[in-house]
Each structure stands twice: as C-alpha cells, then as structure tokens.
Amino acid sequence: MKPFDYIRATDPAAVQQAGGRIIAGGTNLLDLMKHQIETPATLVDVTRLEMTEIEQSENSLRIGSLVTNSELAAHETVRRDYSVLSRALLAGATGQLRNKATTGGNLLQRTRCPYFYDTTQPCNKRAPGSGCQAMEGANRILAILGASDKCIATHPSDMAVAMRALDARIEVESATKGTELLTMDEFYVLPGDNPEVETVLQQGDLITAVHLPAAPAGRQSYRKVRDRSSYAFALVSVAAIVNTEGGKITDAALAFGGLAPRPWRDSGVEEVLIGEAPSEALFDKAADVLVADAKGHGDNDFKIPLARRTMKAVLSELTGVS
Amino acid sequence: MTEHLKMDKVQPRMLDETGQGAIHKPMTRPEGPLKVSGTATYAAEWSLPNMAEGVMVRAAITKGTCEIDESSVKDMPGFVGIYTDRMVRNSAQGTMGTNPVQPEGEVHYLGQPIAVAVAETLEQARDIAQSLAVKYTPADGAKTVMDDSTEFEDDDDPVDMGDLDKAMSEAAFSIDSLYTTKPHNSSAMEPHAAVADWEGDRVILRGSLQMLGFNKNELADSLGIDVSNVRILSPYIGGGFGSKLGISPECVAAAVASKKLGRPVRVVLHRNNVFEMITLRTETRQRMRLACDADGKLTAIGHENWQTNLPGESMAEPVDVATHFLYGGENRRYGQHIARLNRSASGAVRAPGEAVGQLGLENAMDELAEAAGIDPIEFRVRNIPEKSPESGLPYSSNALAQCLQEGAEMFGWSGRKGPKERLEGEWYLGMGVASAARSNILMESRANVTLNPDGTALVQTDMTDIGTGTYSILGQIAAEMLGIDPSKVTVELGDTDLPEASGSGGSWGAASAGSSVFLGAKGIRTKLAERLGCSPEELRLQDGVATGANNRRPLAELMDGPITEEGHIEPGSTSNDFEQAGFGAHFAEVAVNKVTGEVRVRRMLAAMAAGRILNAQTARSQVWGGQIWGIGTALTEEIQHDRRTGHIVNNDLAEYHIPVNLDVPDLDVHFVDERDDQSNPMQIKGIGELGLSGAGAAITNAIYNACGVRVYDYPATPDKIFPHLD
C-alpha cells in the first residue's frame, strides 16, 4: 500500500477543496489500494457528513448516500414499497460487508474482472492502452452486453440493478455545476474506447443521495443466479417491476445485472411487453430483444441463454403465467 | 523408559476395559476458549522485538528467467532488503523430508516466488514487493493446458488383470464414461505464515505446518544446515488440508532473511500467494469402464486417469486408490498419465486420491446400477467382495454393507423416486448415494506421558492439531488409560524439541500419535501395578484411585514423584497382511432449479465405520468438514487457470467458491460401532478424509435422480445443468 494523507471532511465544500479520493465504507477501495490498483495520495473520509437519512416525501424517497446497505434493506418503506431494492441488497455480499457498505459507494464498486486485479497483467481499465486479457481469457463472469473491444468488465452491484429498474436518480454535488440529478444511464458511461472512465463524476464531485420516484404500481421481484447461495456475484440477475390490468401488461421495468458494464436496461424489451397479454410467446419475443446484440466470449456464452431463461421465469412469476 | 510396540499382532481391547469414561463420548476442545477469545497465538500473530516484515514477490511470466533490480526499490521508505537466494518455488510435498532450493532467476510458473521483500512495516514491504523492477526473459515452450494434444508421462507398471476389453464386450451391462474434475485449493482459513529468528546457528521458526518431524528436515535441507540447528514451533494451525504438509516458501524466505539481517523476520502469505505458491490438487480426467452380468455382479473395472504437475514434482494424485479394494470384478485395468505443465505445483489436498477418484467411480457405479435396473444401494452391496480383490488380503474390517443399509434406513431412501418425478415449485428433488473408502495408515510416532502424584498428567509430543481435535483426543486417551478426568491432562504439541510424532496428514494422526500416548500411559500403568502389587492386567485406575490384588490406593499414596514414560508405536506386519480401510456411505438430497440449473443441497447423511470413535464430537466435526467439502467439490470449487499463461485467475476467496453457510444444510452423521483389531492398539481408524471420500458423488448422483442430468464435468455449476433441462 502506498502512503496517503487522510482528511476527514466536515462539509461537502471541504470534499471539493481537499481534492482527494473519497472514502466511505471502504469495502472495495481499501482492497484496491492494497493491490495498488488505486493509489490515491489523499483519502477524504466523508462519513461524518449529513448524508445518513432516508427521507420520505409524497412522491419520492431520498436515500442519503451514507445509508448503509443493511439499513436500506431493512427500512420499512423500502421493504413495503420498493421490495425489489430490499431483495437486491440482501442478495449482495455478506452481512458484514452490508453493514459497512454505503449507498453511494455501492454505485461506484469496481469490476471483479480477474485481470483488472492482477497489476502484472495488461488491462485497459486499469492501465489504459495496455490491452485486454479477458477477451480471450477466463471470462466466465464478464459481459455479453454493452461491452467494447477494449473491455468486457461487468458492474458487480446488485443494489444498482434494482435502482435502475426503479428509475432512480443520483444526486451529485458537483464542484463545477452545483447539485445535479442524473439518471443512471447518464451517470454510468459505457466503456467504448476508454474503459477507465466508468461514470461522469469529476474530481471533487460527491454523490449525496439517491432519489427513488413514487412507489411503482405492480409486482416486484429480484432474482439472482449465482454459483453459490451467498457471497457470490451474479451470473445473471433480473430486477423486475410489472403491472397488469385487465389481462394486459400496463407497465414493465426490467434491469439486469451480471451482463454488462453497468446495470442494464433496454427499453425495447419493455416496449414488447407493454400493452400485451402476458404469455410465454410474448416473453420469448422480449427475450429475443434483450439478447439481440449479446456477444459471448467463450466462457461466458452461457449467459445468453441463462439471461433469457431467468428473465422469462421472472416475468412468469410476476404475471402468473405458468 | 520407553513402552514400544510394533504392530505385528492383535492387541487386547484395553479401552473397552478401562472404565474411566473419558473416551467415546462427545467432549469439547480444551483449547477452544483460547481460539475463540483470540488468545491462541498463531504463527502470524507473533510479534518479536525488532521484527522486520517480508512479502513474497511473484513471477509475472509463465516460463523463463528473471533478473531483479534491487536498486529500483532501495530508496523506498522502510526498505530493509531483497533476498533471492534459496528460494523454493513451491511447498515441499508431504512426507518428503527434503526440500532442495531451486537455482536463482528461473521461472517455471506464473505466480512463483522469486524474491522476498523485507521492510520495517507490512505496508512498506508490500509496496516494495509490488514496485520491484524485474527484467524477464521469457522462454519458449511453456505448457499451460492439458488437452488432447498434450504429451503425457505414463506410469511404468499399470495394473492390468484379466481382459477388460473382452469383459466389457461380453457384459450384460457396461458403461464407458469420461469424468473431469478441476483443480482445488485447500483454502485453509489461516494463510501460510512464518516468523524466523536465530539463536546463533540455530533457527527458531514459528510456522503453520502439519508435520514437524518432516518439516524440520525439509527446512534444514533448504537452508543447508544440520537438522539439530532447526527448531519449529507450530502449536496452533488454522487448517491445513494438505497445504501445510511440507515446508513452504515463506518459511525458508523468513529464515534466510532473518539470518542475513540478524533480526526476526515475519513473512505472511497474501491469500493470492496461497493460491499460487502453495501446492494445489491437480485437475483430473478419469475414464471409467464398468461392466456387470445380468445379476448386477461386476465383471470389469477400469479406472484410468490423466493429471498435471510441474516438471520434476514427484507427487501424483492417486486417483484410483480406493478403486483397487472397494468392489469385486476379475478384469481390472488402471493407468496414470501426467502432463508436465508450467502451472503451480500439484500436491496433496485433503483425501488425495479419493476426493476426486470417488467422484468418477461412484458416479459410474450409479450409471451402471441404472443400466442394470438395480437400486444403487443394492447394486453396491452385491459387489462388496469377501477379500480385497487385487491383493487377495483379508479386510481388517469392512462394514460398508452396514453403512449403506443403516444409512438408507435413516435417510428414508425408500422414498426415492425417479428423475423429474418430484417437483416443488421450480425445484426438482432427488436423492443420491455413494460409498466412502479411505485406506487406514499407521505411522511411527512418539510421545512422553507424565503422571503426577496429584492426579494430573502431561502429554508431550511434536504432533500438531490442525483443527482436527488432537489436543482433545490425546488428553482423553491419557485420561482413560490413567484413570483421571480429561480436564486433569495438559497436552503440549507442536514443538520439535518434543518427541517426534507422525504429524497430521493422511488421516493417520489419531491412530499414530494416539497410540504413542496410549503406550506411554500403558508404561505408567505397568509401574503403578508393580507398586500396588498386582499384574498390569488386573490393575484398575479410576478417578485417581488404583485398584488391584485386593488393594485400593489413591495415586498419591502409590507415587513419590512424577512418573514419565515414552510411548513409541511403529507399524508392523498387520499393515501388510490386511487390507485396512475405513468405509462409509454418503447420502444427499438435492433440489435442482429447472430454470437456472442452480443446485441446492437439502440434507446429507454420512454413515461411517472407522473403528472405535475416540470423541464423538470431534469425529463428527471431521465428517461435517468432509460433507461440506463434498458440497464444494460437487457444486462450486474450481481453480480457473488462464489457458495462455497458466495464471490462476480466481486466486481469492471471493472468486474461488468454497461453500458458505447458506450452501450447507442439515448434516447428519451416524457412526457404525466397530473395532478394528489389526489397525493399532486402540482399534481406531482414520476419519478425517473418509468423510470427504464419495461425498460429492452422492450429490451429483442426487442431481441425476432429481432432474435426469448426469454431471461429467465437475463442479456442477448452473451452466453445466440448465442447458440440459427443458
């Protein structure tokens, strides 16, 4: 580990002034620092800031970015009105990690790609331009959607997948632009030619909260397929909110984990479903859209049929199609 | 004095006569409170005055040479030194007793230790290790994959009895299947660690090692010093599972650096280093050929295997070890083929041989039972031979049929149905069975036993407790033989200055070290009998009182001071004249998700026959460990190598999936009451590895019974299952 300065921030302005790497729960950053994948000269501890509340208003829920994963999963409103989020949180990591990990930090988890973690090996995300060993290497856990020829890393979060389905917006206190509310597709950047860039955050920007819109109508589910029952990243996960009225699907929101460099949502999938009567044939059609551009890299080819199967099973569960 | 026994003939069942009640029943670990309160000091927890910290440097290429540029780091904060001499490229193989160092600058696999970076603090040492400039010159010809194009070293003298091909072609039923298993890591909770310090020419090494008698010789060999100048302390070990059988790189590196610096040096392997620098279990391919007649009697068994190791490593996974004696059949063929690859070395991991060999054999037995239309339990029972089918030796004891039948009754086997006949929501349910077998071994072992007039006792040996319960059972054996409560016995282990024991490995620890304690205590009994004026056979010791020849005297009255006797056990002719093995049966009920192919184990039962059970609690814990490892081998555990470089890509516990609590259901253990008179003077057999043998196969057989998908490629991750479901 490289020596670093430690600053405890007392207000958001101090964060911007300090100009270092922000640390909250540290469940990912400390590992990355020990491996010297990240070597910040300054750590700015934001855990004393007033970002620990979950505030409810008529049309939204504002989740402070320091709310821990455990607190958020256990929150009464979340469990009642946003159960997909509670379930996603509890499907992630372990009890110990969830007690420490924060909402803002979870959004910024970095990939579990094994080549990213070995600093003696090339990796375009860690060392831009050095190459991608994963493309033709061990890529069982890596992306089939949204990747580029430079990087096939996946985003590891469960929480963010549920938030994507819930149309969450991320509140950022920007050094240059004041307070912004970003959709998740605005927040996360696909790898393209610059996989080292993962979000639009700039130096000094601070995630202060996540906003959820009013509780959605319909039924919610989070399903995570993984190699062991707990403490394993998703091979495929599906966060789904589906409403049916009069035998037809009126609303559908589906987001996917384990498939892409960011929580994946494809409006084309939802367009196939909305306005139609749920049926296996309809789900097949939606699944066709989901994987239309999917590309396997050998070890992870199985994710394409697995994503189809899992999505269809979740839709069947939520609409009662057997 | 020494009470010596060479196990050449059956010994009286003394432990059935002694009557103190210290053995058989469950007893908690005497050192347990130390462990759960953090006061049992493990190797890495030693902090000596003026101690420097070392971190291993790993090779970043697969094969070639390297030159280290010390000047690149010597100005870094806390720099103490970089040492490259006497590097060992991987841990010594178990029971080698030698551990030659490799020439400097050669790289044989990616992740190999090439240097140790020493600094004032761990963080500085790690920074230096990661910043060190190394110039590599890659060499051609690195081999990193075992496939059809690989060249193999074949064994010189494969067993080939009768005519397997003919038996296969003439059989009423036969199967010819290829099974593959992936490499495994021992994944002990405690990473490998060493603290080295020198007193003049003598090195004191605090390490985490399983077999100190061998380890002291290995360390002496690596350092080029006399073994009398080595002292190793390893009183607490956070799991070994084979990975700590031999001296490992951190021990030698710490000793070398400490000698040069004249100050203590601590080297703790990072978890990534544990995966790369410590021996792992080879991957295997196993061709199983089985044939039977119309009545389900086996006529042929073929078990051929392919595996990998580094060039020059002597160890080969004895994949077929239990196949030789488990079932009958006249026509038998084996073969072993080793690919020499530039990947981390293969070595012994818990239950070498059976852990993977029984996956092939017991799946194949299930396949053939189905082909023959016979219940898998009945099929196995029909094929238990009268005597060992290849050697012709009698079994010392063999309760396999009883294990299968009692287990089936307890597990509710009669409720088993066919594939896809039990559906619960999205989950298919099924049951599976597999036989367990593990050769029983006795090793030479010594211990000192001291009885004090106040009714306390002391046991001393360089034996280790790797979490198995050695402290418990050695105390219990001494207590039972001396007629005192186990709480009165102090057990000192893990110090090479104490009498040399067998070490922990091969499931022989309890039998070997236990017998030495038994004998030491027996020597004390002889002396007490003399003093009481009775024959040793007449003597009865209970609760600190000696009775015999119409005499009844408290120990204090018989003794004018402590009595110390050494016990010394050696294997004898009973090891050669009998087929000695523990047997058992594993049962599993699983649920298979018909959408995703995820498998969840619902419950397991192990019915085990391992001779006398010394401590029902620690023995059960051993079997639990085996069952859990069975879940891992069947469902989750696999080391993934990069095909191009041999790099172990999942070199941590987040991505190398050992089962977590939620993967482990109700585990039931049933011990079949047994005494093995040929095994040792206590009539016990090894239990640790028996609990793993076949456990994974019971799970994959249950997967087949649930959903009709036969797993040929372990582990059965979801991607191996769901493509075969509707």
Side-chain angles (χ1 to χ4, degrees):
Chain A
M1 190 182 269
K2 295 282 184 195
F4 56 88
D5 291 329
Y6 172 85
I7 295 169
R8 185 175 288 165
T10 47
D11 58 64
V15 175
Q16 288 157 6
Q17 211 173 354
R21 184 81 163 85
I22 293 168
I23 184 164
T27 56
N28 192 200
L29 180 58
L30 291 177
D31 269 351
L32 295 168
M33 288 172 66
K34 289 177 190 169
H35 284 286
Q36 301 196 359
I37 295 162
E38 296 205 26
T39 52
T42 305
L43 279 188
V44 184
D45 183 347
V46 297
T47 54
R48 297 326 193 262
L49 301 189
E50 302 280 316
M51 305 189 295
T52 56
E53 298 297 314
I54 299 175
E55 298 160 70
Q56 199 168 355
S57 62
E58 200 174 327
N59 288 318
S60 74
L61 195 69
R62 183 182 181 278
I63 303 158
S65 71
L66 287 174
V67 173
T68 66
N69 288 177
S70 296
E71 288 164 347
L72 186 56
H75 192 268
E76 191 186 345
T77 307
V78 174
R79 286 167 58 199
R80 188 187 59 227
D81 295 338
Y82 306 95
S83 61
V84 62
L85 176 57
S86 184
R87 289 183 201 184
L89 284 159
L90 294 175
T94 65
Q96 294 92 329
L97 286 167
R98 292 194 294 268
N99 285 343
K100 202 73 191 141
T102 64
T103 303
N106 189 302
L107 293 169
L108 298 176
Q109 271 189 88
R110 304 203 70 189
T111 186
R112 301 300 306 187
C113 175
Y115 301 97
F116 176 71
Y117 271 86
D118 187 347
T119 51
T120 66
Q121 304 296 312
C123 168
N124 284 329
K125 186 184 279 298
R126 174 171 35 75
S130 61
C132 175
Q133 286 278 79
M135 207 71 71
E136 290 171 5
N139 53 42
R140 183 168 183 274
I141 62 172
L142 300 177
I144 57 169
L145 287 167
S148 73
D149 59 2
K150 296 284 191 295
C151 183
I152 55 172
T154 40
H155 193 268
S157 172
D158 290 292
M159 181 197 81
V161 177
M163 287 181 171
R164 183 69 192 88
L166 286 165
D167 288 319
R169 285 183 299 164
I170 300 168
E171 182 186 299
V172 177
E173 190 87 18
S174 163
T176 52
K177 291 180 269 181
T179 304
E180 287 189 302
L181 274 182
L182 302 172
T183 67
M184 293 182 80
D185 281 358
E186 289 165 346
F187 180 79
Y188 288 112
V189 178
L190 288 175
D193 288 337
N194 299 97
E196 74 279 10
V197 179
E198 294 169 359
T199 70
V200 295
L201 289 182
Q202 300 291 316
Q203 179 69 42
D205 288 358
L206 177 67
I207 299 172
T208 45
V210 172
H211 293 247
L212 300 183
R219 302 177 64 192
Q220 306 181 18
S221 180
Y222 187 76
R223 179 138 181 194
K224 179 177 180 179
V225 184
R226 47 186 147 176
D227 285 328
R228 63 181 169 190
S229 309
S230 175
Y231 195 44
F233 293 92
L235 298 171
V236 172
S237 72
V238 183
I241 306 156
V242 178
N243 193 39
T244 51
E245 276 172 34
K248 292 203 168 153
I249 297 172
T250 55
D251 298 287
L254 290 114
F256 300 85
L259 302 183
R262 67 180 179 196
W264 192 252
R265 188 161 168 188
D266 183 340
S267 57
V269 174
E270 293 159 21
E271 283 161 18
V272 170
L273 298 169
I274 293 170
E276 302 292 329
S279 71
E280 180 145 10
L282 180 72
F283 301 159
D284 263 322
K285 224 167 112 187
D288 289 342
V289 173
L290 174 70
V291 300
D293 294 327
K295 186 178 172 206
H297 295 85
D299 292 353
N300 68 352
D301 290 348
F302 74 93
K303 284 188 174 182
I304 299 173
L306 185 59
R308 290 188 65 106
R309 295 172 76 97
T310 311
M311 186 190 100
K312 286 172 59 186
V314 168
L315 288 172
S316 296
E317 174 202 337
L318 293 183
T319 60
V321 171
S322 57
Chain B
M1 290 289 289
T2 296
E3 180 82 17
H4 170 258
L5 173 68
K6 192 160 188 248
M7 191 62 199
D8 285 327
K9 62 175 198 296
V10 170
Q11 301 295 306
R13 295 181 177 178
M14 269 188 82
L15 293 178
D16 285 319
E17 308 296 328
T18 40
Q20 173 65 27
I23 56 162
H24 298 138
K25 61 188 180 190
M27 193 190 100
T28 55
R29 296 158 193 268
E31 83 286 12
L34 298 179
K35 288 181 174 174
V36 297
S37 62
T39 45
T41 309
Y42 288 82
E45 296 173 321
W46 284 95
S47 190
L48 304 183
N50 196 32
M51 184 173 74
E53 302 282 355
V55 167
M56 303 303 289
V57 180
R58 58 193 278 275
I61 62 163
T62 306
K63 186 183 179 189
T65 56
C66 64
E67 272 177 71
I68 280 159
D69 177 11
E70 188 178 321
S71 68
S72 62
V73 293
K74 69 180 174 31
D75 295 331
M76 288 179 68
F79 176 85
V80 172
I82 299 281
Y83 303 99
T84 57
D85 52 334
R86 299 192 174 275
M87 251 326 115
V88 292
R89 69 183 177 198
N90 48 259
S91 43
Q93 299 290 352
T95 72
M96 286 300 284
T98 61
N99 194 33
V101 294
Q102 281 81 34
E104 273 182 65
E106 286 184 8
V107 176
H108 296 272
Y109 63 89
L110 198 155
Q112 176 193 314
I114 52 173
V116 61
V118 183
E120 297 296 339
T121 71
L122 174 66
E123 290 76 15
Q124 290 167 340
R126 196 159 177 207
D127 190 10
I128 291 165
Q130 288 172 306
S131 306
L132 181 67
V134 182
K135 187 181 163 209
Y136 293 103
T137 309
D140 293 336
K143 293 189 173 62
T144 51
V145 178
M146 177 171 84
D147 60 21
D148 291 336
S149 67
T150 312
E151 280 179 37
F152 291 93
E153 283 175 16
D154 301 334
D155 52 355
D156 300 333
D157 189 21
V159 175
D160 192 354
M161 296 169 62
D163 188 334
L164 183 84
D165 296 325
K166 184 158 174 279
M168 287 286 290
S169 63
E170 290 174 355
F173 305 101
S174 67
I175 64 108
D176 182 351
S177 297
L178 187 70
Y179 290 90
T180 55
T181 66
K182 295 292 193 300
H184 298 148
N185 184 276
S186 290
S187 301
M189 189 185 292
E190 180 204 18
H192 298 62
V195 176
D197 193 15
W198 291 75
E199 286 174 2
D201 289 334
R202 192 172 196 223
V203 63
I204 317 289
L205 187 102
R206 292 174 167 86
S208 183
L209 295 158
Q210 296 180 222
M211 300 189 139
L212 303 194
F214 296 99
N215 302 142
K216 66 185 178 192
N217 286 298
E218 290 155 0
L219 185 58
D221 186 34
S222 293
L223 296 174
I225 62 176
D226 191 87
V227 68
S228 62
N229 281 327
V230 174
R231 184 181 182 194
I232 299 178
L233 297 165
S234 199
Y236 300 111
I237 297 143
F241 314 112
S243 74
K244 296 168 182 170
L245 289 173
I247 277 283
S248 34
E250 82 286 355
C251 297
V252 182
V256 166
S258 172
K259 178 74 175 171
K260 296 207 170 180
L261 292 166
R263 61 191 281 200
V265 173
R266 170 165 63 187
V267 182
V268 182
L269 291 193
H270 187 275
R271 182 63 64 180
N272 298 157
N273 299 152
V274 174
F275 273 86
E276 293 178 329
M277 298 174 185
I278 301 298
T279 50
L280 46 78
R281 190 200 307 285
T282 176
E283 68 180 290
T284 70
R285 288 189 190 186
Q286 302 175 44
R287 184 183 182 190
M288 297 302 318
R289 279 176 287 182
L290 297 180
C292 69
D293 64 20
D295 296 328
K297 269 282 200 200
L298 283 168
T299 55
I301 295 185
H303 195 169
E304 195 173 359
N305 75 80
W306 291 260
Q307 55 177 285
T308 79
N309 210 335
L310 259 182
E313 286 297 321
S314 60
M315 196 273 179
E317 180 88 12
V319 174
D320 53 26
V321 60
T323 313
H324 291 282
F325 62 81
L326 194 47
Y327 301 118
E330 291 132 39
N331 305 288
R332 309 170 80 92
R333 192 190 295 169
Y334 304 84
Q336 175 177 286
H337 316 278
I338 302 178
R340 297 294 174 185
L341 301 185
N342 297 99
R343 301 196 317 208
S344 300
S346 304
V349 175
R350 191 178 192 178
E354 299 92 345
V356 283
Q358 286 292 96
L359 299 178
L361 177 63
E362 289 299 305
N363 255 298
M365 286 293 283
D366 218 54
E367 283 193 87
L368 189 59
E370 191 194 29
I374 302 171
D375 177 86
I377 290 177
E378 171 59 25
F379 183 66
R380 285 172 171 82
V381 171
R382 275 186 209 180
N383 285 294
I384 299 171
E386 291 288 313
K387 56 185 182 178
S388 190
E390 290 165 26
S391 64
L393 295 174
Y395 294 105
S396 59
S397 55
N398 183 345
L400 177 57
Q402 206 179 335
C403 292
L404 286 161
Q405 287 160 344
E406 286 181 19
E409 180 69 28
M410 290 177 69
F411 199 65
W413 184 258
S414 60
R416 181 175 178 264
K417 295 192 166 61
K420 296 189 178 176
E421 287 180 17
R422 291 172 68 201
L423 185 64
E424 193 183 281
E426 275 181 6
W427 299 86
Y428 292 121
L429 304 183
M431 289 187 209
V433 67
S435 298
R438 166 76 199 178
S439 293
N440 186 63
I441 301 166
L442 181 65
M443 298 283 275
E444 184 172 8
S445 210
R446 293 172 191 265
N448 280 346
V449 182
T450 300
L451 179 65
N452 298 308
D454 65 0
T456 60
L458 176 65
V459 171
Q460 295 172 301
T461 162
D462 81 355
M463 183 60 187
T464 51
D465 186 330
I466 58 173
T468 45
T470 310
Y471 281 106
S472 309
I473 57 152
L474 296 189
Q476 286 176 281
I477 293 164
E480 183 65 32
M481 291 291 284
L482 298 173
I484 56 178
D485 190 85
S487 64
K488 308 261 184 175
V489 185
T490 301
V491 179
E492 289 180 8
L493 302 178
D495 179 348
T496 53
D497 280 356
L498 298 176
E500 186 173 322
S502 61
S504 297
S507 298
W508 62 56
S512 308
S515 291
S516 69
V517 173
F518 172 94
L519 291 169
K522 192 173 167 214
I524 294 173
R525 290 177 67 96
T526 304
K527 289 204 166 157
L528 292 174
E530 273 170 29
R531 294 178 189 189
L532 195 63
C534 70
S535 71
E537 291 74 28
E538 266 182 290
L539 177 73
R540 191 168 173 85
L541 293 173
Q542 201 169 350
D543 297 327
V545 177
T547 316
N550 293 322
N551 242 331
R552 181 180 164 84
R553 305 266 300 275
L555 288 176
E557 288 181 24
L558 280 178
M559 299 171 66
D560 47 13
I563 306 175
T564 298
E565 289 285 312
E566 185 191 56
H568 178 203
I569 184 79
E570 281 188 277
S573 57
T574 62
S575 289
N576 303 320
D577 297 345
F578 293 87
E579 190 71 67
Q580 286 192 30
F583 293 91
H586 286 283
F587 298 82
E589 184 170 56
V590 306
V592 182
N593 190 282
K594 68 175 189 173
V595 175
T596 63
E598 288 165 293
V599 178
R600 300 291 179 250
V601 180
R602 290 285 180 94
R603 60 194 177 100
M604 291 182 82
L605 165 69
M608 301 274 111
R612 182 193 305 279
I613 298 301
L614 293 170
N615 179 331
Q617 181 163 320
T618 53
R620 185 186 61 181
S621 292
Q622 286 292 292
V623 179
W624 278 348
Q627 291 171 298
I628 294 167
W629 208 321
I631 297 171
T633 42
L635 302 181
T636 59
E637 291 188 46
E638 61 176 308
I639 285 178
Q640 296 160 10
H641 288 95
D642 182 285
R643 285 178 285 270
R644 301 155 301 181
T645 61
H647 173 206
I648 293 175
V649 296
N650 57 340
N651 56 11
D652 60 39
L653 292 176
E655 301 298 340
Y656 181 82
H657 292 152
I658 58 172
V660 295
N661 277 333
L662 202 55
D663 293 311
V664 180
D666 280 347
L667 301 178
D668 203 0
V669 179
H670 169 61
F671 291 114
V672 169
D673 196 34
E674 191 184 49
R675 302 283 184 268
D676 191 314
D677 288 318
Q678 310 298 342
S679 62
N680 49 63
M682 301 184 299
Q683 298 85 35
I684 74 167
K685 292 190 284 192
I687 186 81
E689 291 165 312
L690 182 64
L692 169 55
S693 172
I699 292 168
T700 46
N701 287 337
I703 292 172
Y704 179 79
N705 179 247
C707 69
V709 177
R710 176 70 63 190
V711 176
Y712 292 101
D713 182 20
Y714 285 84
T717 45
D719 47 306
K720 311 260 183 69
I721 308 275
F722 82 78
H724 306 289
L725 298 173
D726 300 334

